[in-house]
Amino acid sequence: MIANLRDLGGVTTTDNKKIKTDLIYRSANLSDLSADDIKALKNLKIKTIIDFRTADEISQAADTDVYGIDYLNIDIFKNNNAVSPSMENLAQFGSQIEDFMAKVYESFVLDEGALAGYREYLNLLLNKDDAAFIFHCTFGKDRTGWAAALFLKLLGASDEVIFRDYLTSNTALRDFNEKLIEGIQKQYQMSDADINKLKPAFEVNEAFLQSSFDQIDQHYGSFDSFVSDALHFTADDIAQLKAIYVE
């Protein structure tokens, strides 16, 4: 079963329009897919997989190659390894792991490499055919969570809708995280106390996502200015995006 998989469509925008379903999905990583998982992707008419992970993450758990589905890697942390989700980075922060996660979310809107990656992602969404996209990172919660928030915000979803989708990852990843944390604890011979310090890194927190929006207000003045000045996404681009994804 593909972890944290969901359709971003079906929600109503602030101007009482509806985001189309069956066009764009988010998930956790797509490595070690079963035959049933591959069938599920095919049934969803997925044409393109966008993988936001680092080269190191991919080397450890590469996406399953699925015939007929294009694969594209956009490394959000390409120019900023200091905020990549490596065990070395997580262990370094220990009990200050929430501070680390805040830095991760701040980098999404301040780091030029991350901005270039999200710019590429948005431009891909403007050039879709009749098939669907799926995008993911390792857990499908942080890099993927910000990509989903951007998409929903640009289409006119309310903050309530955006944060609700974001926080859904905590329930969607519960079983996935339990197995992952158990494996990490054994692999790195960590005590219960040490692994508990790291648990916030395996979850989503409203404050993390809010930190991205706070940095936008602080550095760009508004979300609209961020979109135009940092992402170089124009009013025409937004109109085109809505024409594709909003009923």
Side-chain angles (χ1 to χ4, degrees):
M1 182 177 178
I2 300 171
N4 209 9
L5 172 64
R6 56 188 181 274
D7 189 339
L8 284 178
V11 300
T12 301
T13 62
T14 55
D15 56 355
N16 292 317
K17 295 181 180 179
K18 184 166 285 190
I19 298 175
K20 296 177 183 177
T21 58
D22 306 321
L23 291 179
I24 187 161
Y25 297 85
R26 55 176 294 177
S27 75
N29 78 78
L30 299 174
S31 63
D32 299 322
L33 296 183
S34 67
D36 285 343
D37 293 334
I38 292 173
K39 184 179 179 180
L41 291 180
K42 296 278 192 177
N43 287 341
L44 294 175
K45 298 182 179 179
I46 300 295
K47 177 61 178 176
T48 303
I49 293 169
I50 302 173
D51 184 349
F52 291 130
R53 295 179 299 163
T54 65
D56 185 56
E57 290 173 282
I58 294 169
S59 70
Q60 296 179 47
D63 279 6
T64 302
D65 186 19
V66 181
Y67 179 78
I69 299 181
D70 297 327
Y71 171 87
L72 178 65
N73 175 224
I74 302 176
D75 183 355
I76 297 299
F77 295 142
K78 184 176 182 179
N79 297 334
N80 195 354
N81 287 329
V83 292
S84 68
S86 65
M87 281 304 300
E88 291 79 7
N89 283 341
L90 296 180
Q92 178 182 349
F93 278 82
S95 58
Q96 286 78 45
I97 199 68
E98 277 116 352
D99 293 338
F100 172 75
M101 294 306 299
K103 290 181 183 297
V104 170
Y105 278 79
E106 289 169 7
S107 77
F108 294 156
V109 301
L110 299 177
D111 178 73
E112 185 51 46
L115 291 171
Y118 287 117
R119 192 180 304 131
E120 183 178 358
Y121 149 76
L122 290 175
N123 285 327
L124 283 168
L125 300 188
L126 290 179
N127 294 287
K128 74 172 298 299
D129 50 24
D130 291 333
F133 281 91
I134 188 169
F135 59 88
H136 74 86
C137 48
T138 294
F139 298 92
K141 67 182 184 68
D142 301 317
R143 287 161 288 187
T144 296
W146 180 243
L150 269 180
F151 174 77
L152 292 171
K153 186 80 169 176
L154 286 167
L155 294 185
S158 67
D159 289 348
E160 180 183 359
V161 165
I162 291 167
F163 277 85
R164 183 168 64 241
D165 171 73
Y166 172 72
L167 292 170
T168 297
S169 289
N170 279 336
T171 52
L173 286 170
R174 187 170 292 139
D175 293 341
F176 180 88
N177 280 348
E178 286 179 2
K179 293 178 182 178
L180 180 72
I181 290 170
E182 181 181 350
I184 289 173
Q185 188 169 14
K186 289 180 180 178
Q187 180 179 352
Y188 293 93
Q189 298 181 332
M190 301 177 74
S191 67
D192 289 343
D194 286 338
I195 203 71
N196 283 334
K197 291 177 183 178
L198 299 183
K199 281 186 177 179
F202 303 121
E203 301 170 348
V204 292
N205 185 317
E206 185 172 347
F208 299 159
L209 182 58
Q210 187 60 52
S211 69
S212 292
F213 286 112
D214 289 344
Q215 289 299 313
I216 285 175
D217 290 340
Q218 180 178 336
H219 289 271
Y220 304 98
S222 68
F223 182 76
D224 290 344
S225 294
F226 166 71
V227 170
S228 61
D229 298 346
L231 295 176
H232 309 312
F233 211 63
T234 68
D236 287 343
D237 291 332
I238 296 172
Q240 183 181 345
L241 195 73
K242 289 181 176 180
I244 296 170
Y245 294 101
V246 178
E247 293 179 356

